[in-house]
Amino acid sequence: WQLQGTDDTLERCHVVASGSNTASWVFRYGDDAPDALAGRLRLYFHAKGRKDQASLEVAIGLSEVATDADSVSSFASEDGYGFWRPEKSNAHVRALRTFQGVPLATGAVRLFAEISGADGVSRLVAFDSQDGWYGRDFHPGAATVVAGADYGRAVEMQVVLDAGASGLSQVRQSKLGWPALDHWTWDAARDGAFLVITGADRCGQTRDGLFLASWRGAAFEVNAADGCATPLVPQAHGPVVVHLGAGRYKLYYEDQTAGMTRKSFRMISADASRTGDPSVVEPGDWDPVSEAREVAFRWPSGAEMSLTEESGLGDHVIAMPLGSTTLQVMYLNLGGKDTTAHPGMSRGVGLAYLVNP
């Protein structure tokens, strides 16, 4: 993956959305989307804080013309929408952390979000858009921004995975895998989708690992044995799920076995045809962790980044702007607290291209 910019420093790497910070998510609109959206990319991201008001937890942008490969480096922020920080006294939601916007076959966008509660437990919840596939307005009333007392009251917040009922003690960064190359929307009426979850299990096997939960038509079922959730990857976080066609997927993650400031980015693959139904991914369809491939990042010049430098790139998300694997782009944080090479907050959301798709 090669970062885009003009120099081999994060300070000179390209920022795709003005005012962006961390935790971006992107998806592509297909040809059957409304004319104003078809072929474009929708971007969600944490915004930089403002001195005069609480910062946006989730801001929203749209690419100019995603069918042009060069255009995916620029997003116009759509102001007046999104999620503001909850009130400090809120008993339901203390903060929205990572998130994923998934376009639904029913004509809405479901924003899955990791929330931290007043009880210190993180859960996965969901908000459905009120403006269809536009995916900007998640407030069911006249307002178009979710803020303050809206959380848990005016806004319908669906609990997708509650740590207490899933074999997990914490449910953090979670990413949905569905056959997005077959169709850009998720048809929740069908089995076959799955979540990869960063979390901790109640049996104490890991405090920060990846777990698999299969969609069974009405709910996600966490892979477990003898009452204990089974880790897919024991020490990792930040999953990125990419559909490759048919029942094949790749899963990227940040491996933290060497510590947070020397994290390597790794990848394993799944092929549903290995076991059972060739369209439904099961735990046995994944490569073992021992066969994980290490992923390389390059500076704009082509020079390879060190592990220490790479550790500052977080919250990776991958899109295929042309609707095929021929062009794969990654949005990621430009810096952060996990690196000693470029200490400080993220400069914003940056862009990288896959050199060898």
Side-chain angles (χ1 to χ4, degrees):
W1 293 90
Q2 186 159 342
L3 289 166
Q4 299 302 293
T6 57
D7 196 3
D8 291 0
T9 65
L10 293 180
E11 289 73 24
R12 298 295 297 275
C13 285
H14 179 66
V15 175
V16 301
S18 176
S20 61
N21 188 5
T22 60
S24 61
W25 172 259
V26 68
F27 70 81
R28 176 184 180 271
Y29 287 104
D31 294 340
D32 53 339
D35 290 344
L37 302 173
R40 298 191 177 198
L41 301 186
R42 169 68 74 202
L43 179 73
Y44 300 87
F45 56 90
H46 278 314
K48 292 185 183 297
R50 304 177 185 178
K51 294 181 178 179
D52 59 333
Q53 54 193 343
S55 67
L56 276 165
E57 293 281 74
V58 185
I60 300 169
L62 190 69
S63 67
E64 295 297 330
V65 187
T67 50
D68 177 352
D70 291 335
S71 71
V72 298
S73 64
S74 179
F75 289 82
S77 295
E78 299 193 298
D79 296 331
Y81 300 96
F83 293 78
W84 291 83
R85 291 190 189 280
E87 294 177 341
K88 291 183 178 180
S89 60
N90 191 293
H92 304 281
V93 182
R94 287 292 172 89
L96 271 72
R97 302 199 182 280
T98 56
F99 42 81
Q100 177 185 20
V102 177
L104 304 178
T106 54
V109 174
R110 179 162 296 167
L111 190 84
F112 292 99
E114 169 200 352
I115 61 132
S116 58
D119 56 2
V121 175
S122 293
R123 298 173 174 84
L124 183 66
V125 301
F127 306 89
D128 284 352
S129 66
Q130 304 298 306
D131 57 351
W133 281 333
Y134 281 83
R136 299 170 301 188
D137 182 4
F138 292 87
H139 195 298
T144 57
V145 172
V146 178
D150 292 335
Y151 293 93
R153 283 195 354 203
V155 172
E156 182 180 350
M157 184 175 63
Q158 310 158 50
V159 176
V160 178
L161 273 180
D162 192 304
S166 64
L168 301 173
S169 57
Q170 296 283 349
V171 177
R172 294 191 287 271
Q173 291 169 299
S174 304
K175 294 297 184 291
L176 180 73
W178 82 96
L181 284 182
D182 297 344
H183 198 269
W184 61 281
T185 64
W186 173 39
D187 186 353
R190 299 181 180 181
D191 291 346
F194 57 91
L195 280 173
V196 179
I197 307 156
T198 303
D201 68 284
R202 288 190 296 177
C203 295
Q205 300 166 93
T206 178
R207 297 176 59 188
D208 208 14
L210 300 183
F211 297 85
L212 186 70
S214 301
W215 177 252
R216 301 302 186 190
F220 288 101
E221 181 181 305
V222 176
N223 180 39
D226 300 324
C228 292
T230 305
L232 183 64
V233 185
Q235 294 187 60
H237 65 275
V240 185
V241 180
V242 181
H243 182 230
L244 296 174
R248 297 181 299 113
Y249 295 82
K250 55 182 176 179
L251 168 65
Y252 294 90
Y253 58 88
E254 296 177 62
D255 183 284
Q256 56 195 41
T257 54
M260 292 295 284
T261 60
R262 286 186 57 80
K263 297 179 296 182
S264 60
F265 202 54
R266 295 179 179 268
M267 183 191 76
I268 57 175
S269 300
D271 188 339
S273 65
R274 291 176 181 174
T275 63
D277 189 331
S279 64
V280 178
V281 174
E282 302 289 355
D285 295 324
W286 291 96
D287 297 333
V289 174
S290 60
E291 296 180 8
R293 300 182 183 186
E294 186 156 355
V295 178
F297 284 88
R298 296 178 179 178
W299 289 109
S301 70
E304 190 164 333
M305 299 180 77
S306 69
L307 269 186
T308 303
E309 293 169 331
E310 184 184 315
S311 293
L313 310 176
D315 295 332
H316 315 74
V317 57
I318 294 169
M320 299 186 187
L322 305 181
S324 71
T325 58
T326 56
L327 174 64
Q328 299 179 43
V329 298
M330 178 187 290
Y331 300 93
L332 70 182
N333 302 341
L334 293 175
K337 62 183 180 180
D338 292 343
T339 179
T340 55
H342 301 273
M345 298 302 293
S346 169
R347 284 193 58 241
V349 176
L351 172 67
Y353 287 91
L354 184 60
V355 176
N356 55 341

